[in-house]
Amino acid sequence: MHMHISSSAAVYVISVAADLAGMHPQTLRQYDRLGLVTPERTAGRGRRYSGQDIAELRMIQQLSQDEGVNLVGIKKIIDLQNQVDALKSRNEELETEVRSRMSAKEREARVFAAGTAGDVVSISRVRRPRGRPEPGAMVLYNRFRRR
């Protein structure tokens, strides 16, 4: 039986996380103190790292070793990325709210017209009834209608 572990589940002790990230455990402790990667803590204060934490550790190592970015620069990059993620999330919330309000506004803006058989039909404000009115049919005309 194969069980899937979420990448956000904090399951790795510091020695295993250090091995997976290709670092010394002391480096992980330093990164925790600096706030670069903050693992979850057990009741006994032991660090537990998630798959996401290990991916972040690898990214920090790449920025540091391959790109030559110092730890202060890396902290700033991480903070800015977190800010971008938060803004993207807020933007999605606002877009959803705007769509919701627009559809509510569209529902409020419906117009009712008399169908050719004398029935009442709902049409959008911008759409006109199809076809020509029958002789003697009453047609609503509003010359003050805003565009």
Side-chain angles (χ1 to χ4, degrees):
M1 184 164 121
H2 178 51
M3 194 166 71
H4 177 72
I5 298 173
S6 166
S7 66
S8 62
V11 294
Y12 303 105
V13 295
I14 192 166
S15 58
V16 174
D19 283 345
L20 291 171
M23 299 176 173
H24 192 278
Q26 192 58 41
T27 306
L28 273 64
R29 289 184 190 94
Q30 179 187 14
Y31 289 176
D32 185 10
R33 279 192 301 277
L34 294 172
L36 294 174
V37 175
T38 307
E40 289 186 26
R41 298 288 186 145
T42 63
R45 301 289 299 143
R47 292 173 174 90
R48 291 293 182 273
Y49 291 84
S50 68
Q52 288 175 335
D53 292 333
I54 291 165
E56 288 177 20
L57 289 167
R58 290 178 180 153
M59 185 223 21
I60 291 168
Q61 186 176 43
Q62 185 214 351
L63 286 170
S64 175
Q65 293 179 357
D66 300 344
E67 308 293 330
V69 181
N70 66 25
L71 294 180
V72 173
I74 291 170
K75 174 78 169 127
K76 187 70 172 172
I77 289 168
I78 290 170
D79 290 346
L80 288 170
Q81 186 59 55
N82 290 339
Q83 191 176 357
V84 166
D85 292 344
L87 289 169
K88 282 181 179 176
S89 177
R90 181 65 179 140
N91 191 47
E92 288 173 8
E93 289 172 9
L94 291 171
E95 285 177 348
T96 300
E97 186 177 333
V98 166
R99 278 193 298 274
S100 171
R101 288 185 182 201
M102 288 301 289
S103 61
K105 194 169 185 84
E106 288 166 3
R107 285 192 298 274
E108 291 170 6
R110 290 190 317 191
V111 174
F112 296 92
T116 55
D119 53 333
V120 176
V121 292
S122 172
I123 60 173
S124 67
R125 191 174 291 279
V126 295
R127 204 181 108 225
R128 293 182 181 263
R130 296 187 185 276
R132 293 199 140 316
E134 294 178 7
M138 184 168 69
V139 179
L140 178 65
Y141 172 73
N142 181 356
R143 69 177 204 160
F144 299 110
R145 183 174 166 207
R146 288 189 217 150
R147 293 254 177 227

